[in-house]
Amino acid sequence: MKIVDAKVVVTSPGRNFVTLKLTTDEGLTGLGDATLNGRELAVVSYLADHVAPLLTGLDPHRIEDTWQSLYRGAYWRRGPVTMAAIAAVDVALWDIKAKAAGLPLYQLLGGASRERIGTYGHANGRDIPELLDSVRARLAEGYPAVRIQSGIPGLKAVYGVSDTDDTGAPVLHQQARPLVEDWDTAAYLRHVPAVFEAVRAEFGPELPLLHDSHHRLTPIQAARLGRDLEPYRPFWLEDCTPAENQEALRLVRRSTTTPLAVGEVFNTVYDYQALITEQLIDYVRSAVTHFGGVTPLRKLFDFAAQYQIKSAIHGPEDISPVGMAAAVHLDLAVHNFGIQEFSGHTPLTDEVFRHAYTFTDGHLHPGEAPGIGVELDEELAAAHPYAPAYLPVNRLHDGTVHDW
Ligand code: EZ4
Ligand code: CO
């Protein structure tokens, strides 16, 4: 079998998605997600201008060899653009291989290690009463675990709150300039324990509660927050510091027993080296889409497993259903599965990317369709062309740019 066509499809059914479609001489097709939120066209160029010409004529069964030749052959290794492009190729090849075998991808990864995949959903509110309503809504949808994010007194727009409307539906950042959010770390550190207190008081001790600090704290601030949240037994504290400084997590780790989750912006195993070998974290958060595909993410999970660290694949709306499908197959197969973030997509997005995976009673299952189980409606995709979009920028009260 040979690859005869490599096509990059950009579509915006409410937000931008980049998809690689490979076609073989036997008529099999494979899809891979290459969406890099806010920098989409850089990956389109990487794929269309530099990778697609290398793919035609290759045997699609040679996944490891193709991955290594794209990673090592570029000379310029790592980085989100490169790794999103390689991820799309990797997933499209796994899709083809599994279709050729007539099996759902998870069967090629060792088969099911569980019956279904536990998820967490996003609850948020501008204030605590609104957040409590939002938690109630997620529980009514069946979510077994909930991430809680709240507005902070004195701040007008905060991560995880300003990007949803009153009904909890995502507000899309389809605009030509970044939205500016504001930030005050002291106000945040004062408020978050009160948020946990209120949610525990309302929903009791059993509901797993997660929280995302979105890279905004220094190590000593993160240590403080981790300690302050201990009485409420959080499931995890996510991205407490900008963790490209891996050593920073040593201070946090020795200061608190609050579990730590890190890695949604990482793109290779090297970003995790100290975090895993020194057991500084509890969950690895990388997405298939941003980590070079199923091949390296499986290796990461196996590495993490030796240190009792579990998987928690990033699952925001900006991972397309193609990237989500690949994640769900991995989740079902790996032994050290932890939890899967899942927000779902708009009905229009689910129409452009028809998928076999299902979400029932708060749990995902990849389904039994051969491959990853996603079909791209190219006509519908073309009817919704790319629209410029940026992630927000964060500023302190005096105007200083802060981590977003
Ligand atoms: O901000 O995917 O845990 N989830 C997150 C996400 C990220 C977006 C960035 O594109 O932190 O909401
Ligand atoms: Co996050």
Side-chain angles (χ1 to χ4, degrees), residues 20-205:
L20 176 69
K21 180 179 179 180
L22 299 181
T23 305
T24 74
D25 56 352
E26 296 179 13
L28 285 179
T29 59
L31 299 177
D33 178 27
T35 308
L36 188 61
N37 198 9
R39 294 292 185 272
E40 296 87 355
L41 299 185
V43 191
V44 173
S45 167
Y46 194 110
L47 280 169
D49 296 333
H50 302 292
V51 173
L54 304 175
L55 296 178
T56 46
L58 291 188
D59 174 0
H61 280 304
R62 298 187 64 180
I63 299 175
E64 181 73 25
D65 184 73
T66 303
W67 194 96
Q68 297 295 345
S69 71
L70 291 175
Y71 181 76
R72 292 168 201 279
Y75 187 64
W76 311 107
R77 295 181 187 187
R78 311 164 67 183
V81 175
T82 296
M83 300 314 287
I86 296 177
V89 177
D90 183 79
V91 172
L93 294 179
W94 277 110
D95 193 17
I96 290 169
K97 187 187 281 293
K99 283 179 183 171
L103 292 169
L105 173 60
Y106 75 83
Q107 294 290 12
L108 273 56
L109 302 174
S113 285
R114 57 196 50 78
E115 282 159 25
R116 57 187 195 155
I117 295 151
T119 68
Y120 69 92
H122 293 179
N124 56 74
R126 283 166 296 190
D127 54 23
I128 290 176
E130 212 176 83
L131 171 63
L132 297 180
D133 286 344
S134 180
V135 173
R136 234 169 261 122
R138 296 296 86 75
L139 294 180
E141 288 161 6
Y143 280 102
V146 187
R147 187 187 82 163
I148 50 173
Q149 307 290 139
S150 163
I152 297 164
L155 298 186
K156 57 180 165 51
V158 175
Y159 166 77
V161 178
S162 52
D163 53 0
T164 54
D165 68 18
D166 296 348
T167 68
V171 170
L172 305 171
H173 299 291
Q174 296 285 17
Q175 51 199 8
R177 308 290 302 181
L179 188 81
V180 179
E181 295 185 354
D182 54 353
W183 187 249
D184 177 340
T185 301
Y188 169 80
L189 291 176
R190 276 195 305 273
H191 192 60
V192 179
V195 170
F196 270 79
E197 170 86 43
V199 175
R200 277 281 172 244
E202 182 76 11
F203 297 98

Side-chain angles (χ1 to χ4, degrees), residues 37 120 122 147 159 212 214 238 264 285 314 316 318 341 391 404:
N37 198 9
Y120 69 92
H122 293 179
R147 187 187 82 163
Y159 166 77
D212 193 346
H214 225 253
E238 176 177 336
E264 66 185 45
R285 296 261 310 131
H314 191 206
D318 47 282
E341 184 181 30
L391 283 164
W404 188 81

